[in-house]
Amino acid sequence: MSSLPDTPAIRDGEGSLEASPRRRAGQRSLSTAGLVIAAVALVGLLLAPFFVYPVFLMTVMCFALFATAFNLLLGYVGLLSFGHAAFFGGAAYFTAHAVKVWHLDPLLAVIFGMAGAGLMGLVVGFIAIRRQGIYFAMVTLALSQMVYFIFLQAPFTHGEDGIQGVPRGDLLGFIDLNQPLNIYYFVLAVFVFGFFAVWRMVNSPFGHVLKAIRENENRAISLGYRVERYKLGAFVMSAAIAGLAGSLKAIVLQIATLTDVAWQMSGEVVLMTLLGGMGTIFGPSVGAALVVTMQNYFATSGFPVTVVIGVIFVLCVLLFRRGIVGEAIRLMRR
């Protein structure tokens, strides 16, 4: 009996009765740490506009939500989309047009942009999910480029000029969004809603099926799951939340341009997700904050920010393959 604790099975936490409670305790510790980090981050975001330029913070939140939506598809389903800029930029155009031309309430315009992106996601996803791997990525890229040229030629987008001077308006008719703190807390509320929606999906039975599909699609099929329906559902929800981010961006920066729907934007969100940590809740937000911060502070310095981002990406791939947050979680588990 005295030699039992020294056996490799128990020492490594594999194949023993003591392994399961130890693993459960570790998972509880990680969950508690995640809740503490989320609470601290929320308090920090509530106080941040008093110390940091609000427009910069709102831009970070928009791209963090975009990366979180993309991570729902890549990190939890294993589908690499090169066409998510179509939903992000499409919703930006829809919202900008609704606010400037139709004079909709900002909240209704954001919901309209999100719904439009979700509808686009339904059409694109219905076509794309029939393919796998690189073929899926290429189909999404091709359809995204088609959307790009539609927005380039559509009359309401104003071509290469985009929709400029988008009014922020009055939220619910009485909250002036031209006031920095008012629009900041509106964006923060929408960001928290979108982030919580992704977290809830990931930790629901639906999310567990998505993870099963990512790990072994054939086994999920053998268990009776309609895999294509789950993929399509995840694709539509990812597109809708990406559209929510694009709608916020149009309100915050008061412009919607072709840059938002270009393929470079799709590549940028891939970079954000991989830098922060694919398949983690907080990773995409960290990656988005890092990329947007570098773009913001290097923009006026004449320093080649794309080179710096490229070097960081290469180092991340070589040394931190799980991303910043992914590696931090691995160290905590050890």
Side-chain angles (χ1 to χ4, degrees), residues 8 29-30 72 78 88 99 153 176 181 189 194 221 248 252 274 290 292 308 315 326-327:
S29 299
L30 284 174
L72 175 63
F88 179 79
V99 171
Q153 300 294 330
D176 185 9
L181 287 181
I221 294 173
L248 287 180
V252 169
L274 294 180
L290 179 62
V292 173
V308 176
L315 292 176
E327 289 293 337

Side-chain angles (χ1 to χ4, degrees), residues 63-139:
F63 281 98
L65 187 58
F66 183 26
T68 300
F70 177 78
N71 183 55
L72 175 63
L73 194 63
L74 177 62
Y76 293 98
V77 191
L79 296 176
L80 175 59
S81 169
F82 279 133
H84 256 52
F87 315 126
F88 179 79
Y93 272 114
F94 297 151
T95 299
H97 182 78
V99 171
K100 187 173 183 178
V101 180
W102 298 343
H103 307 290
L104 282 186
D105 182 276
L107 181 60
L108 292 178
V110 167
I111 295 174
F112 174 71
M114 181 181 178
L119 183 61
M120 291 173 61
L122 179 62
V123 175
V124 173
F126 183 78
I127 299 172
I129 61 169
R130 300 173 185 275
R131 300 292 179 264
Q132 295 181 348
I134 190 62
Y135 302 104
F136 173 86
M138 291 298 101
V139 169

Side-chain angles (χ1 to χ4, degrees), residues 23 25 28 37 71 104 126-128 141 161 163 170 172 175 190 226 229 232 248-249 261 277 290 296 315 320 329:
R23 189 174 294 112
R28 284 195 298 268
I37 293 172
N71 183 55
L104 282 186
F126 183 78
I127 299 172
L141 177 60
D161 294 332
I163 303 178
D170 296 328
L172 303 178
I175 302 176
V190 176
R226 301 293 296 271
R229 291 186 179 181
L232 181 59
L248 287 180
K249 183 260 180 189
V261 292
L290 179 62
N296 183 73
L315 292 176
F320 304 98
I329 292 176

Side-chain angles (χ1 to χ4, degrees), residues 35-45:
L35 291 175
V36 171
I37 293 172
V40 171
L42 181 59
V43 172
L45 288 173

